[in-house]
Amino acid sequence: MARNDVVLLDSLVDKARDRLGKNRDESEIFELFCFDQLLKDYDLSYDELEEGWTDGTDDGGVDGFFIFVDGKLVTEDVVADLAGSAARLAPEVQVVVFTIRRSDSFKQQPINALCSSIPELFDLRKTEDELGYPFSSAVLSQRAAFLTTFVALADRRPNLRIKIYYCSRGDTNTLAENLRSRAEQLRENMRGLFSHAVSSVEFKGASELLELARRQPIYSLRLRFIESYISREGKNYVVLATLPDYFAFISDEAGELRRYLFESNVRDYLGKSQINSDIIKTLQRKSGAAAEDFWWLNNGVTILATHATVVGKEISLENVQIVNGLQTTEAVHQYLSESGVASDDRSILLKIILTSDEAARARIIKATNYQNTVELASLRGLDKIQHNIEEFLADKDWFYDRRKNFYKNQGKPADRIVSISYLADAVRAIALADPASSQRQRGRALRIDRVYSEIFNTDWDLDVYWASLEITRRVQTVLESERRHFENSPIALVHHVGFIYACSKLGLGYSPSQVGQLAARLPNDEEVFFIREELRKVKGTQQYLGTIPLRESSELTLQKFGAEIRFDHAFVQEIVKEFYAQSQKVSGSVKRLMWERNLALIEGTDGRNYYFHKNDLQDQIEFGASLIDVMVEFDIKRPAFRSAGTAENVRKRVETQKPKDA
């Protein structure tokens, strides 16, 4: 390693502080920097990076835990939709685990911690209560998301890849032999747990991180084409390019797919679905290629750009976005990556549209992606109200990211960037007085027209959005100031604290329009911590937080909220007890069996999913195919919060009960 690499890396990390969080300490900034660089090809937003950030007490050496399915980050709303994605066969499931130390060398302790915790963490035979290590809720939440993902995709034979990164400011050229042997032991442990999984353990030091940081996404690219092109007044082009030339266009220096080019393509890659199997078969058809060129059998790809320059048989494009043709592009990249056929002279049809007009680009994106109704929620950012909110919040020094990573790519500070889903959750919790749903259904609100219309109400004053955002971010900032001192991430409390604060200022039954007046009346540190402590004091609050809508509490209790209310200890405790009192008895139907793990998934009548082990079956119920669609009753062992919950004492539902004999 060059002796100056550490100095240069430290300089880049320090410069990243403005966009990653000025109030974070050096180790936190370094962790986020490593996530950002090593997951760069997934083009994650800052909210998504924090989704897998698990560092803290009892993390077992796991500072980051990310799950991807076909290149898409698994979050709560993605997990909920996996069971319905029946078109995908043999999906690619990738798990990325980080252990990060800001030391100037690689130490033994972090890799030892992983060797102890990882085998237990990924032993899916163990329920959460059977784990010997006291993992934090953040780690357990990601483990549950992985388990739920595997349960949902088990019958589609997923291809599993597990990557473990150990990052530091050290030199990988001087790694001690005992570190290499422990890494190999960790790989062996993973192979023992997943026989068909591909696992790796990689050390990333100053030189590797510096090289990654210097590799920036390139949106201005050159494409070679064959023969003549068709153009109309230089505003659009239709060209044919050879498959190897298109492969070079969509691949970075390492040969990896430039996934950031698909930001505006809202349709997910469908893995080994029928359509992609057909594309692969077409690509593999070498005999008779002269009679059937590839573009004859494929609809081609649509590309958006702002400017184009043609020189000879090469076109240079600026601000490239591939808005349609993801399935074809993924298949071409996969085929040529595996076959390495550089001499393939077959061609692909490319339609290139040039426009800088945002409205026109939005119409093109919507038109070219309208065939996939499930992902229409991704197009919400094109709505007029979203434009209005972006412009309004810009005047308040907020960057509303209605176009994912638009402001991140401009280097704007992370703590001033707000995603559509973050704002939607804040509005649902504060303006609509429903913090439990905002936590339980994070992100999914954008997919449901009725809920979306309630949240983004065109009749509201835009101050409502500003105030909801300011209160939520203020509470989150105060709670995160003590992030490292608590086992549970404070994000679970943010919406509830914000809601109670709004009630204390506006009284019971406040209207959304009233919330706008709170933008300049934010809670101070003492008020946030007082509400938080009252919530934490109530037995069971941590376990059940976010599972019961607060608006269902008794009128008698809530009537005590008034404009003049003070934060009285006994009063808040009474409110909280009422809020989170709930029956453990829940019903639902069994929807999926995971045979190799003896697990099953229940779709509860409360709108949430729960999994259980066959040993949790009562009344001599057999674990088998006859269980599918059977209505059952069960007790909640672990509530469904950011992912599926856990059920126990599962028994067949009794519709009616005969009276006992006298």
Side-chain angles (χ1 to χ4, degrees):
M1 177 181 71
R3 69 180 67 180
N4 288 326
D5 282 358
V6 174
V7 176
L8 294 172
L9 176 64
D10 287 347
S11 176
L12 286 178
V13 174
D14 189 56
K15 290 177 181 177
R17 175 177 294 278
D18 287 341
R19 60 184 176 84
L20 295 178
K22 294 181 179 180
N23 297 323
R24 302 188 188 279
D25 61 35
E26 288 186 340
S27 61
E28 290 178 323
I29 293 295
F30 187 66
E31 287 173 7
L32 282 172
F33 180 85
C34 291
F35 296 161
D36 196 21
Q37 299 309 317
L38 284 160
L39 301 175
K40 181 179 292 184
D41 289 336
Y42 295 101
D43 200 32
L44 301 184
S45 66
Y46 292 120
D47 285 349
E48 290 171 330
L49 289 176
E50 293 203 20
E51 188 85 21
W53 194 9
T54 55
D55 181 30
T57 306
D58 293 331
D59 61 19
V62 179
D63 298 318
F65 192 149
F66 298 85
I67 307 126
F68 301 91
V69 174
D70 288 332
K72 184 173 183 178
L73 181 69
V74 172
T75 56
E76 183 198 16
D77 54 318
V78 175
V79 169
D81 289 338
L82 286 175
S85 304
R88 291 186 291 184
L89 298 175
E92 298 290 332
V93 178
Q94 186 172 66
V95 178
V96 184
V97 174
F98 289 87
T99 188
I100 302 172
R101 298 294 182 275
R102 196 184 169 275
S103 58
D104 55 5
S105 63
F106 289 93
K107 308 291 185 181
Q108 183 79 22
Q109 188 275 331
I111 199 76
N112 285 345
L114 288 182
C115 284
S116 299
S117 62
I118 289 292
E120 183 174 37
L121 194 63
F122 283 93
D123 188 347
L124 303 187
R125 296 170 299 178
K126 293 185 177 181
T127 64
E128 190 172 300
D129 291 339
E130 293 172 337
L131 296 175
Y133 190 90
F135 290 106
S136 67
S137 62
V139 175
L140 291 176
S141 178
Q142 291 302 93
R143 179 185 190 261
F146 171 65
L147 176 61
T148 306
T149 300
F150 239 54
V151 168
L153 300 178
D155 59 348
R156 293 166 222 173
R157 302 180 300 280
N159 298 313
L160 177 62
R161 300 178 66 88
I162 301 175
K163 287 186 176 181
I164 299 175
Y165 290 118
Y166 178 5
C167 303
S168 80
R169 296 157 62 245
D171 186 354
T172 56
N173 294 320
T174 60
L175 276 178
E177 187 57 39
N178 59 340
L179 286 173
R180 297 183 186 277
S181 62
R182 291 292 274 171
E184 181 56 35
Q185 178 185 343
L186 191 53
R187 279 191 290 267
E188 285 297 324
N189 289 336
M190 299 308 298
R191 282 193 283 267
L193 290 170
F194 302 98
S195 58
H196 299 294
V198 177
S199 60
S200 63
V201 180
E202 299 181 28
F203 296 87
K204 298 294 182 181
S207 297
E208 291 78 15
L209 292 172
L210 185 61
E211 183 179 351
L212 282 167
R214 287 170 171 168
R215 182 170 63 85
Q216 298 297 324
I218 301 173
Y219 291 92
S220 296
L221 301 168
R222 292 185 297 179
L223 172 70
R224 289 181 56 83
F225 57 87
I226 58 178
E227 305 305 332
S228 300
Y229 60 83
I230 300 174
S231 179
R232 187 174 184 179
E233 300 177 353
K235 294 182 179 179
N236 50 62
Y237 296 83
V238 178
V239 302
L240 288 175
T242 66
L243 293 178
D245 284 338
Y246 185 62
F247 177 84
F249 178 74
I250 60 176
S251 304
D252 62 18
E253 298 84 351
E256 298 294 326
L257 184 63
R258 302 181 194 266
R259 293 190 181 277
Y260 55 84
L261 296 180
F262 301 96
E263 176 186 330
S264 299
N265 191 317
V266 300
R267 194 181 193 191
D268 290 342
Y269 179 52
L270 300 179
K272 294 183 180 179
S273 62
Q274 184 61 51
I275 183 174
N276 288 320
S277 296
D278 291 343
I279 295 173
I280 291 293
K281 288 178 182 178
T282 303
L283 289 166
Q284 293 172 339
R285 188 181 303 159
K286 297 179 181 179
S287 61
E292 294 182 350
D293 202 345
F294 177 72
W295 75 277
W296 297 5
L297 309 173
N298 187 273
N299 290 332
V301 175
T302 302
I303 300 172
L304 274 184
T306 55
H307 298 89
T309 304
V310 178
V311 179
K313 292 187 177 181
E314 186 173 86
I315 184 169
S316 296
L317 301 173
E318 296 183 19
N319 301 312
V320 173
Q321 275 291 293
I322 298 175
V323 298
N324 189 256
L326 174 59
Q327 314 303 317
T328 299
T329 301
E330 288 262 12
V332 169
H333 187 270
Q334 175 186 327
Y335 171 72
L336 290 183
S337 294
E338 295 174 354
S339 65
V341 182
S343 59
D344 197 322
D345 61 355
R346 288 177 295 173
S347 55
I348 183 171
L349 177 67
L350 305 174
K351 294 171 284 186
I352 303 169
I353 302 172
L354 305 180
T355 179
S356 300
D357 183 87
E358 285 293 331
R361 290 172 70 91
R363 287 193 295 272
I364 294 167
I365 293 169
K366 198 165 188 176
T368 54
N369 286 283
Y370 210 82
Q371 72 276 33
N372 191 326
T373 57
V374 173
E375 290 302 319
L376 284 180
S378 300
L379 299 173
R380 299 296 196 188
L382 307 177
D383 293 348
K384 182 180 179 180
I385 189 173
Q386 302 298 337
H387 284 268
N388 294 342
I389 293 173
E390 180 182 27
E391 293 176 0
F392 181 82
L393 291 180
D395 292 336
K396 312 298 182 183
D397 294 324
W398 287 103
F399 302 100
Y400 187 48
D401 214 29
R402 64 179 182 83
R403 294 158 291 177
K404 181 184 172 183
N405 285 342
F406 179 79
Y407 291 110
K408 178 185 176 185
N409 294 332
Q410 293 185 17
K412 301 300 182 183
D415 58 359
R416 303 302 295 180
I417 296 176
V418 183
S419 67
I420 295 180
S421 59
Y422 185 96
L423 182 63
D425 294 339
V427 171
R428 197 170 191 183
I430 308 301
L432 293 177
D434 192 3
S437 293
S438 70
Q439 281 294 303
R440 188 175 64 243
Q441 299 176 346
R442 294 181 66 200
R444 276 181 281 168
L446 301 181
R447 299 170 179 266
I448 306 170
D449 288 339
R450 175 187 56 79
V451 178
Y452 175 81
S453 298
E454 288 178 358
I455 295 172
F456 294 103
N457 190 327
T458 55
D459 294 330
W460 287 353
D461 189 4
L462 293 176
D463 281 337
V464 173
Y465 300 97
W466 180 34
S468 299
L469 169 60
E470 290 281 6
I471 293 172
T472 303
R473 186 56 66 88
R474 171 62 181 159
V475 173
Q476 182 178 356
T477 300
V478 173
L479 294 180
E480 285 189 343
S481 67
E482 295 189 346
R483 180 179 185 271
R484 289 179 173 273
H485 302 293
F486 295 99
E487 174 187 348
N488 294 318
S489 170
I491 191 64
L493 295 165
V494 169
H495 290 162
H496 297 79
V497 172
F499 166 70
I500 292 176
Y501 175 77
C503 283
S504 73
K505 298 301 181 185
L506 302 175
L508 172 64
Y510 62 81
S511 66
S513 60
Q514 291 178 276
V515 172
Q517 62 188 269
L518 295 180
R521 300 167 58 192
L522 302 181
N524 57 40
D525 290 14
E526 291 76 14
E527 290 172 325
V528 171
F529 284 129
F530 182 85
I531 298 172
R532 191 276 307 275
E533 287 309 307
E534 294 308 307
L535 289 170
R536 295 173 70 90
K537 285 177 183 177
V538 180
K539 184 178 180 181
T541 298
Q542 287 286 356
Q543 181 180 11
Y544 298 113
L545 194 59
T547 62
I548 294 296
L550 301 183
R551 59 172 56 166
E552 294 178 3
S553 302
S554 73
E555 285 293 314
L556 179 62
T557 304
L558 285 176
Q559 281 174 1
K560 294 183 180 180
F561 262 129
E564 303 299 321
I565 191 68
R566 294 180 179 274
F567 292 120
D568 177 77
H569 175 95
F571 164 67
V572 175
Q573 189 164 353
E574 181 183 355
I575 292 292
V576 173
K577 285 182 178 179
E578 183 70 23
F579 281 171
Y580 299 106
Q582 71 169 37
S583 171
Q584 288 287 293
K585 189 176 180 181
V586 182
S587 61
S589 59
V590 180
K591 290 300 181 185
R592 189 177 301 277
L593 299 179
M594 189 176 178
W595 293 95
E596 65 274 22
R597 300 295 179 188
N598 293 321
L599 296 171
L601 188 71
I602 299 174
E603 184 180 285
T605 54
D606 59 357
R608 283 156 268 163
N609 294 326
Y610 303 86
Y611 64 86
F612 67 89
H613 191 271
K614 73 173 185 178
N615 293 338
D616 290 306
L617 287 169
Q618 303 294 311
D619 303 328
Q620 297 182 332
I621 302 175
E622 292 187 6
F623 185 81
S626 59
L627 260 180
I628 298 296
D629 292 331
V630 170
M631 291 298 297
V632 295
E633 291 179 340
F634 57 92
D635 298 334
I636 295 178
K637 185 176 182 181
R638 184 182 64 80
F641 181 44
R642 293 174 64 189
S643 55
T646 308
E648 60 183 356
N649 300 323
V650 181
R651 60 269 183 196
K652 287 187 178 180
R653 180 177 177 180
V654 179
E655 298 295 340
T656 58
Q657 185 174 356
K658 295 180 180 180
K660 294 182 179 179
D661 295 334

